[in-house]
Amino acid sequence: SFVNQVFNELESPAEVSLLKDLQISVLKERQFLIHTILNHTILNSEYDHSDRLRNLTSLVSHKLSDYEKVVQEAVRGGVSLPQDPNNPAPQPTRWNFLQAVFFASTVLTTIGYGNIVPATFSGRVFCIVFALVGIPLTLSVIASMGHIFATAVSSLYARVRKHLPPAPGILTRVSIAARRSLMAVAAILFLFLYLAAGAGLFMLWEEDWTFFEGFYFCFVTMTTIGFGDLVPSTWPD
């Protein structure tokens, strides 16, 4: 909780300032584009129609390119374009407590989706220290949990096996290598069922995700690849 609060306090003010600057840049460039089109149309009214249209097309193409660059930068920064340019709505920030929890989790598990990252010097320094201390501890906990899970599965299998009828003679003559192969296939099937269950849950939470997208996200997360092309966007209020 303390770590999440630190990330939130360090990064949220900087993000609010960045979003505001990006929004102002978009609005200024938009107004400048409109102003340029109107002034150029009026100043060139004495030209013939073809010359005026040619000059206006060239100028608008140039200014529109500048506007598109500003819009692209703003969208990458997380700014949603205002519906009413004269009354822009406040921009929702990506850094809040839940996002800080999500970010801290991706750091500790070395997934690193990249959809939200520290942008301030102090936030990056704290992230380095946090990762250096937290990642070894997390790996140790994961290894312990894996050992506990494997022990629990083995114990459950031993108990269930006592109540099962004797195996046919052909199965008792199967080689150790064949048994290991069967266990590997069973483990893969269990893994796919586990990923499918996660995909089903994400379909319920993320309305625009398909089953394959949920399955893909679960696989990328479980293997700690973390491309960041798909990340959950639905958060509880």
Side-chain angles (χ1 to χ4, degrees), residues 13-126:
E15 188 190 19
V16 170
S17 177
L18 175 62
L19 293 176
K20 185 177 180 181
D21 292 341
L22 289 174
Q23 188 180 39
I24 291 174
S25 298
V26 171
L27 294 177
K28 283 185 176 180
E29 197 67 28
R30 182 181 186 276
Q31 292 172 356
F32 184 70
L33 175 62
I34 296 174
H35 180 73
T36 301
I37 294 174
L38 293 176
N39 283 352
H40 188 80
T41 303
I42 295 173
L43 291 176
N44 290 277
S45 58
E46 66 274 10
Y47 296 162
D48 61 80
H49 180 73
S50 60
D51 289 339
R52 187 168 67 249
L53 181 61
R54 190 180 306 110
N55 293 335
L56 181 61
T57 302
S58 176
L59 181 62
V60 169
S61 297
H62 177 70
K63 294 304 178 182
L64 184 59
S65 177
D66 293 338
Y67 177 65
E68 287 173 343
K69 291 178 181 178
V70 175
V71 171
Q72 186 177 30
E73 182 180 356
V75 172
R76 286 179 178 176
V79 174
S80 57
L81 299 182
Q83 298 295 328
D84 183 6
N86 297 322
N87 187 25
Q91 295 294 319
T93 60
R94 290 178 293 180
W95 279 102
N96 51 49
F97 183 77
L98 287 177
Q99 284 283 25
V101 172
F102 182 73
F103 171 74
S105 301
T106 61
V107 170
L108 292 178
T109 54
T110 69
I111 297 174
Y113 294 117
N115 62 314
I116 179 172
V117 293
T120 63
F121 176 78
S122 55
R124 289 173 176 174
V125 170
F126 182 75

